[in-house]
Amino acid sequence: HEVLELARIAPDAGTPEHAPAAERSVVGRRLVNGERTLQVIDVAALLRRYAETAISAKGASAAQARKTADPAAPAYMVFDAGGMFAAPIDGVQEVVALPDELRPRLGAGIPATLQWREQPVPVMPIADSLVALPAQAARQLVVIRQGGRLAALAIAGVKAMVPRGTAHRNRMRLQGRP
């Protein structure tokens, strides 16, 4: 379909081959040919730079990444609540099936209370102009504790568990809100 020019790619002059791996540039090699520049990414250097990639690593590289991960970083539970959400696992108390008697109240937008371990827990929907979980899609409740208070969130299901030290939280704003 196409004829491409063959070219030799020389090592990048700015990155000595004997430099420690942590100091090497992600762009390992580059070729400048007239007006065009071809840059070759050193994938191994790129993955070493970001600890989050350890979640998919195998063998010795995974063990090394876990050793260097921040032990104070939280683990997360990812769930579907009309959108993908993550909560620090330390605050999650339990995931329970949605009781049938609560479904009509949630569908009508009426406040609902879950009786959980002999205590009342308010069921709070995660709903606004960006995301909303229809009552018929809710199958479970995740009971969370924050600052001594309990709440239950209606969810469609748990999607993933993210181990400690393999992810970090970024802040962003949507429609003027954090």
Side-chain angles (χ1 to χ4, degrees):
H1 296 302
E2 187 176 356
V3 176
L4 301 176
E5 175 186 350
L6 288 175
R8 167 171 275 142
I9 300 176
D12 185 357
T15 307
E17 292 295 323
H18 55 80
E23 294 176 11
R24 289 187 197 156
S25 172
V26 170
V27 177
R29 299 170 186 267
R30 73 184 54 165
L31 169 73
V32 178
N33 186 4
E35 295 292 317
R36 298 181 318 172
T37 301
L38 173 68
Q39 299 183 76
V40 181
I41 296 173
D42 183 345
V43 175
L46 178 67
L47 294 181
R48 276 193 305 272
R49 186 173 288 186
Y50 298 101
E52 299 88 9
T53 60
I55 195 167
S56 61
K58 292 186 173 107
S61 61
Q64 179 61 30
R66 281 191 288 275
K67 280 187 222 170
T68 59
D70 181 7
Y76 290 94
M77 182 181 79
V78 179
F79 54 90
D80 179 0
M84 298 304 284
F85 293 87
I89 199 79
D90 295 340
V92 175
Q93 305 299 299
E94 188 175 2
V95 177
V96 299
L98 177 65
D100 290 334
E101 64 270 12
L102 292 184
R103 190 173 302 282
R105 295 183 70 84
L106 291 177
I110 301 170
T113 302
L114 170 70
Q115 283 299 323
W116 179 75
R117 297 185 185 175
E118 301 176 6
Q119 56 187 321
V121 178
V123 177
M124 313 199 43
I126 302 176
D128 61 16
S129 62
L130 296 176
V131 296
L133 179 67
Q136 65 271 17
R139 294 191 307 268
Q140 298 173 316
L141 294 171
V142 58
V143 180
I144 58 171
R145 181 181 301 275
Q146 176 81 36
R149 298 183 322 179
L150 288 169
L153 306 173
I155 64 172
V158 175
K159 297 299 180 189
M161 303 298 278
V162 180
R164 288 187 192 285
T166 58
H168 65 278
R169 183 175 63 183
N170 292 313
R171 300 229 182 246
M172 61 185 293
R173 297 183 76 78
L174 293 173
Q175 293 184 352
R177 294 173 318 183

